[in-house]
Amino acid sequence: MTMTVGVVGLGLIGGSFARAYSGEGHTVLAYDTDKTILDFAILSGAVSAPLTDDRLCECDLVLVCTYPQAACSFLEEKGSLFGKKPVVIDCCGTKLSVVKAGMASAEKHGFTYAGGHPMAGTQFSGFGHSRMDLFCGAVMVIIPPRTDDIRLLDKIKALLAPAGFGSITVTTAEVHDRVIAFSSQLAHVVSNAYVKSPTAREHTGMSAGSYRDLTRVAKLNPEMWTQLFMENSENLTDEIDCIIKSLTEYRDAIAAGDRERLKSLLADGSRIKEEVDGK
């Protein structure tokens, strides 16, 4: 079945969705606040035409790929225009405030909405770095109105199939934001802080995989990540407090020359890694 897909926001995520769906032969309508990006997306073949207010109701699927605050505004302001046909999914990196706004607008105006978060990305941002296969094999997190609505979940799975996700995880906004504070946001904070060591400027010629792995996400979009961190501030500060406590234990053992304590801490971390990853 050929679909009409609306994409709101043509950054890395929105642009990659546009490329994936157009690459599978679907009609992609898109909107971006920067008209030059929209024009380029149309010229590149990723987008068929602009997504105007009067065409929202034509879509089978609308993907809102903006920052959280902009997504809340879009869902609230455009709610009366969706009609009954589209399934509307936001793709923001935090869920609590966006899902609250989306669910309220959907209930008020009668459209179908679910929160979403594609667990894929790179250290680069913008449409220029988008690619058709970004989501292939990745996890898509879905926050539906009801976690036991199998009919809706099956429909969402079918609508998302052209993107190539490897699996779909169904959860709540609260659980998502708590876990994502650890699995994504803390990693960005640590990576960004790690390169602030003066020694970072001397690493060339004396670094390998460990440095690359730990610093991959140090280069980030400050505006976007500031908003995501502040949207999830309570969960993220809890995770930062936790890692500070752990780092202090390592630091104190090293400073005290306590080999047995350090060995025990390292063994605990290695064991926990095996347990949480199942190997």
Side-chain angles (χ1 to χ4, degrees):
M1 179 187 73
T2 302
M3 294 187 287
T4 298
V5 179
V7 177
V8 181
L10 288 170
L12 175 68
I13 299 300
S16 295
F17 272 122
R19 292 185 188 278
Y21 280 93
S22 62
E24 291 292 316
H26 301 287
T27 298
V28 176
L29 309 177
Y31 169 80
D32 194 275
T33 54
D34 188 335
K35 188 177 181 300
T36 59
I37 292 175
L38 176 58
D39 290 343
F40 178 73
I42 292 173
L43 284 172
S44 71
V47 172
S48 301
L51 176 64
T52 53
D53 285 355
D54 62 309
R55 301 199 69 179
L56 283 168
C57 61
E58 298 177 19
C59 298
D60 298 286
L61 173 66
V62 176
L63 297 163
V64 184
C65 306
T66 65
Y67 297 174
Q69 292 171 12
C72 289
S73 297
F74 181 84
L75 291 165
E76 290 165 352
E77 294 169 8
K78 306 298 184 182
S80 63
L81 304 175
F82 292 126
K84 304 294 184 181
K85 185 179 181 181
V87 172
V88 182
I89 302 175
D90 83 88
C91 298
C92 299
T94 55
K95 297 269 57 89
L96 202 59
S97 64
V98 185
V99 167
K100 182 179 179 181
M103 297 293 186
S105 185
E107 184 175 354
K108 179 180 179 181
H109 298 292
F111 65 90
T112 302
Y113 164 80
H117 185 185
M119 302 304 298
T122 71
Q123 64 269 43
F124 305 109
S125 60
F127 182 80
H129 295 287
S130 63
R131 62 177 202 257
M132 185 186 304
D133 64 349
L134 182 67
F135 308 113
C136 288
V139 175
M140 178 63 165
V141 180
I142 293 293
I143 294 88
R146 295 195 343 261
T147 56
D148 62 349
D149 189 342
I150 303 302
R151 181 174 296 180
L152 175 59
L153 292 172
D154 284 345
K155 184 175 183 179
I156 288 172
K157 185 177 180 179
L159 289 168
L160 292 174
F165 288 104
S167 63
I168 291 178
T169 296
V170 179
T171 187
T172 65
E174 291 80 5
V175 170
H176 170 277
D177 285 3
R178 178 173 56 79
V179 175
I180 217 72
F182 166 76
S183 65
S184 175
Q185 294 181 343
L186 180 64
H188 283 78
V189 170
V190 170
S191 184
N192 193 263
Y194 176 77
V195 296
K196 292 181 178 179
S197 167
T199 314
R201 301 184 184 279
E202 303 176 46
H203 84 87
T204 302
M206 289 183 283
S207 63
S210 298
Y211 173 83
R212 288 194 301 271
D213 291 346
L214 190 51
T215 61
R216 183 181 68 81
V217 293
K219 181 176 172 58
L220 45 70
N221 181 330
E223 176 62 33
M224 181 183 76
W225 285 101
T226 294
Q227 190 171 139
L228 292 173
F229 292 163
M230 297 307 292
E231 286 275 333
N232 203 24
S233 60
E234 185 174 350
N235 288 316
L236 182 55
T237 52
D238 285 347
E239 292 296 339
I240 292 173
D241 288 342
C242 183
I243 197 171
I244 288 173
K245 179 178 180 294
S246 294
L247 286 171
T248 300
E249 291 176 344
Y250 288 91
R251 188 262 175 208
D252 289 350
I254 293 168
D258 190 339
R259 295 175 64 89
E260 291 305 312
R261 174 60 174 158
L262 178 59
K263 184 178 178 180
S264 176
L265 290 169
L266 293 171
D268 283 346
S270 181
R271 174 182 54 79
I272 292 169
K273 168 65 174 174
E274 290 181 354
E275 290 175 356
V276 298
D277 288 350
K279 56 183 178 180

